[in-house]
């Protein structure tokens, strides 16, 4: 509105215009204040360090590895050579001798060649399946005139043409080696000379569901009744949707379960009213309250501390990091220390923690969150010091889940719920079998034959 228009306004219109503009200015002031606060928040986020596998729970596969610097090649000095150990029981021995000297044609005998240069030549024979034809004779009884047929030989029942050894191998290659159905078809044909379709492979897995799930049940019970249990979880894909694979383990068994939720109810249902003495886990809220007490994973906590340091906290976070490293060092030396020494170490760690937590709250956001959490959960830090059966990290759980993460990335996971159930049961059987010195193939074969997987040494 120009000057002439303003001068033409009446007294009441001018007051109304001033009030309207005043209201507009107040609204703009509130908007400016909100935008200023938002800009400050975004600038603070820009100033925060990036989340990496070294300072958070981001998996190593999502981290960016830096290039190693070029190193000058060192001159290689002489040292004793190393060779592969000779086989203890070779299948065949070839004696290579000389009848005459290649230089002068002088005849040579065994006494002239006392030295032997022995080495092994290792190769595979042509792989081919063993095909057994069963001819069940049948006919009509000349006495009662009823049709009769010979019974199927034991272990050669009619139905699927593929035996338990081949079935165990296919499950092993699919579950452990993450070979998809399509690639399995080619592998079986090219390497083993077995013609098989993707549908037949799916049928083998479907038939294995009942024995594998049955073999996994005792493993679940062994974990459920253990005094110390660790757990962790990772994502899975089932039918095009995000599900979650949980691992629960003890010193005697490993159990996997794949479900459509990450909630604590998964573990509560698994425990069925049981409560372990100690629960080893990270800081995820779904892992709280599952055991009588908790041992916090110090490796996860150390990464959170690294993030607080990178954010700029050189006081509490830095000292807390050295306290965690001291505790981890004690945990690694724990097998060689006496109980009395461990009690002294535990008291010393608690005193150091008291001094840290009695100080004023740190200034950076990440360090404040860490400080508050440690005041709340301080009792869960050093339980492992005086209890030798409690680990100081849940790294065993992460190692148990790592093959499943690779399987997910290679195969894309599962099209159906029953496929996920078969995989979880097979993973449980394989991981537990390794605790007892069984190979993956042996553990699967035992499960398919109804034999126990938990075999004491």
């Amino acid at each position: 509105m120009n000057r002439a228009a303003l001068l033409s306004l009446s007294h009441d219109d001018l007051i109304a215009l001033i009030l309207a503009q005043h209201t507009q200015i107040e609204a703009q002031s509130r908007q400016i204040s909100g935008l200023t606060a938002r800009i400050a928040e975004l600038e603070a986020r820009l100033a925060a360090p990036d989340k990496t596998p070294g300072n958070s729970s981001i998996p190593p596969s999502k981290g960016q590895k830096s290039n190693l610097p070029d190193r000058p090649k060192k001159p290689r000095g002489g040292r004793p050579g190393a060779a592969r150990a000779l086989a203890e029981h070779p299948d065949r021995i070839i004696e290579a001798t000389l009848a005459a000297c290649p230089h002068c044609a002088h005849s040579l005998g065994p006494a002239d060649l006392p030295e032997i240069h022995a080495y092994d030549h290792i190769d595979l024979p042509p792989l081919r399946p063993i095909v057994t034809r069963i001819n069940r004779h049948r006919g009509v009884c000349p006495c009662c005139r009823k049709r009769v047929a010979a019974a199927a030989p034991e272990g050669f029942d009619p139905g699927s043409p593929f035996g338990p050894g081949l079935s165990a191998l296919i499950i092993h290659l699919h579950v452990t080696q993450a070979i998809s159905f399509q690639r399995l078809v080619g592998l079986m044909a090219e390497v083993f000379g077995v013609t098989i379709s993707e549908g037949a492979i799916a049928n083998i897995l479907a038939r294995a569901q009942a024995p594998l799930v049955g073999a996994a049940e005792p493993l679940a019970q062994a974990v459920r009744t253990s005094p110390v249990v660790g757990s962790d979880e990772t994502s899975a894909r089932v039918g095009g949707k995000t599900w979650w694979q949980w691992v629960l383990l003890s010193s005697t068994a490993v159990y996997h379960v794949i479900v459509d939720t990450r909630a604590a109810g998964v573990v509560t249902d698994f425990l069925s009213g049981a409560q372990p003495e100690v629960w080893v886990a990270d800081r995820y809220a779904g892992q709280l309250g599952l055991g009588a007490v908790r041992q916090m994973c110090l490796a996860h906590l150390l990464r959170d501390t690294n993030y607080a340091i990178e954010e700029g906290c050189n006081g509490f976070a830095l000292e807390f990091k050295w306290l965690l490293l001291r505790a981890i060092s004690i945990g690694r030396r724990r097998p060689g220390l006496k109980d009395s020494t461990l009690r002294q170490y535990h008291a010393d760690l608690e005193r150091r923690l008291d001094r840290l937590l009695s100080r004023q709250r740190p200034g950076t956001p990440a360090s404040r969150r860490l400080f508050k959490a440690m005041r709340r959960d301080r009792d869960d830090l050093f339980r492992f010091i005086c209890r030798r059966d409690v680990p100081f990290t849940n790294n065993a759980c992460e190692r148990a889940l790592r093959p499943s993460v690779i399987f997910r990335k290679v195969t894309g996971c599962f099209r159906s719920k029953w496929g996920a159930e078969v995989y979880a049961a097979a993973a449980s059987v394989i991981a537990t079998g390794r605790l007892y010195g069984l190979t993956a193939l042996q553990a699967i074969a035992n499960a398919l034959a109804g034999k126990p997987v938990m075999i004491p040494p």
Side-chain angles (χ1 to χ4, degrees):
M1 184 175 291
N2 55 29
R3 181 181 180 86
L6 286 173
L7 291 174
S8 65
L9 291 176
S10 65
H11 180 269
D12 293 339
D13 291 339
L14 189 59
I15 291 177
L17 178 62
I18 293 173
L19 291 175
Q21 290 181 340
H22 177 72
T23 303
Q24 184 181 6
I25 291 172
E26 286 184 340
Q28 290 176 342
S29 298
R30 289 192 298 269
Q31 185 180 15
I32 291 171
S33 298
L35 292 175
T36 303
R38 180 60 175 165
I39 290 171
E41 179 186 349
L42 293 176
E43 288 180 343
R45 288 187 185 181
L46 291 174
D50 294 332
K51 294 280 188 177
T52 67
N55 62 20
S56 67
S57 296
I58 291 177
S61 60
K62 294 185 178 180
Q64 182 67 37
K65 294 183 179 180
S66 58
N67 295 329
L68 294 176
D70 295 332
R71 298 180 180 178
K73 293 185 177 180
K74 297 180 180 179
R76 186 172 180 177
R79 60 180 179 180
R84 181 186 180 91
L86 296 176
E88 189 174 351
H89 302 291
D91 298 290
R92 185 172 62 154
I93 298 177
I94 297 177
E95 302 290 350
T97 62
L98 277 175
C101 175
H103 304 290
C104 64
H106 179 73
S107 298
L108 299 176
D112 299 316
L113 304 170
E115 300 177 4
I116 294 178
H117 172 217
Y119 59 93
D120 287 345
H121 178 77
I122 303 173
D123 202 355
L124 286 174
L127 300 179
R128 57 179 299 273
I130 300 174
V131 180
T132 303
R133 176 71 51 79
I134 295 93
N135 293 322
R136 294 179 61 197
H137 292 261
R138 57 188 180 179
V140 178
C141 175
C143 177
C144 64
R145 309 305 298 173
K146 293 183 179 180
R147 292 193 62 83
V148 293
E154 184 178 357
F156 295 90
D157 297 328
S160 172
F162 306 112
L166 183 59
S167 298
L169 176 63
I170 286 176
I171 296 171
H172 165 58
L173 292 175
H174 178 61
V175 173
T176 308
Q177 306 301 325
I179 302 179
S180 64
F181 286 10
Q182 182 180 10
R183 292 167 54 215
L184 262 177
V185 170
L187 175 67
M188 298 305 296
E190 296 173 8
V191 178
F192 299 100
V194 176
T195 302
I196 191 171
S197 66
E198 294 184 32
I201 294 174
N203 290 335
I204 287 175
L205 291 172
R207 285 190 296 272
Q209 181 178 7
L212 285 174
V213 171
E217 282 303 318
L219 313 184
Q221 183 61 20
V223 174
R224 195 177 290 122
T225 57
S226 296
V228 180
V229 177
S231 69
D232 203 357
E233 76 288 329
T234 188
S235 61
R237 297 287 291 176
V238 179
K241 297 181 180 180
T242 298
W243 284 33
W244 294 92
Q245 179 172 347
W246 289 75
V247 62
L248 303 107
L249 59 80
S250 66
S251 60
T252 59
V254 181
Y255 185 73
H256 291 260
V257 59
I258 300 177
V259 290
D260 59 352
T261 178
R262 196 188 181 194
V266 176
V267 185
T268 304
D269 293 342
F270 165 79
L271 291 174
S272 300
Q275 187 179 47
E277 298 174 12
V278 183
W279 196 270
V280 184
D282 54 26
R283 298 172 62 197
Y284 171 52
Q287 306 274 15
L288 297 176
L290 301 174
V293 296
R294 178 180 65 156
Q295 169 59 56
M296 195 180 300
C297 174
L298 297 193
H300 281 81
L301 196 55
L302 191 59
R303 291 197 287 268
D304 293 338
T305 306
N306 286 336
Y307 183 83
I309 294 173
E310 292 179 11
E311 194 182 44
C313 179
N314 295 322
F316 166 76
L318 188 60
E319 293 186 44
F320 186 60
K321 176 181 178 178
W322 291 117
L323 182 64
L324 292 177
L325 292 175
R326 176 176 173 80
I328 291 172
S329 175
I330 295 170
R332 289 172 176 164
R333 295 187 291 116
R334 185 174 52 181
L337 298 176
K338 297 180 180 179
D339 290 345
S340 58
T341 304
L342 290 176
R343 286 193 293 270
Q344 292 175 3
Y345 275 134
H346 184 266
D348 175 67
L349 290 171
E350 290 291 343
R351 285 193 296 268
R352 292 169 182 257
L353 183 60
D354 284 337
R355 288 195 294 269
L356 274 177
L357 298 180
S358 63
R359 298 178 183 176
Q360 188 177 2
R361 290 179 59 186
T364 60
S367 60
R368 283 199 303 270
R369 291 192 298 268
L370 185 64
F371 184 84
K372 181 180 178 180
M374 292 307 100
R375 277 194 165 181
R376 182 187 65 239
D377 302 326
R378 58 161 301 156
D379 293 338
D380 299 337
L381 292 178
F382 306 130
R383 298 186 187 279
F384 70 94
I385 296 292
C386 294
R387 183 155 178 172
R388 298 177 183 271
D389 59 343
V390 176
F392 51 86
T393 71
N394 69 341
N395 184 253
C397 297
E398 294 184 341
R399 291 200 306 270
L401 285 175
R402 193 166 295 131
S404 299
V405 174
I406 297 172
F407 181 89
R408 182 185 71 219
K409 292 180 179 295
V410 173
T411 67
C413 273
F414 318 101
R415 295 182 181 179
S416 61
K417 180 180 177 181
W418 73 263
E421 186 176 0
V422 171
Y423 179 87
S428 304
V429 166
I430 292 168
T432 303
R434 283 176 176 154
L435 295 178
Y436 296 90
L438 299 179
T439 64
L441 190 59
Q442 290 171 335
I444 294 172
N446 282 3
L448 296 182
K451 299 178 181 178
V453 178
M454 297 168 50
I455 302 176

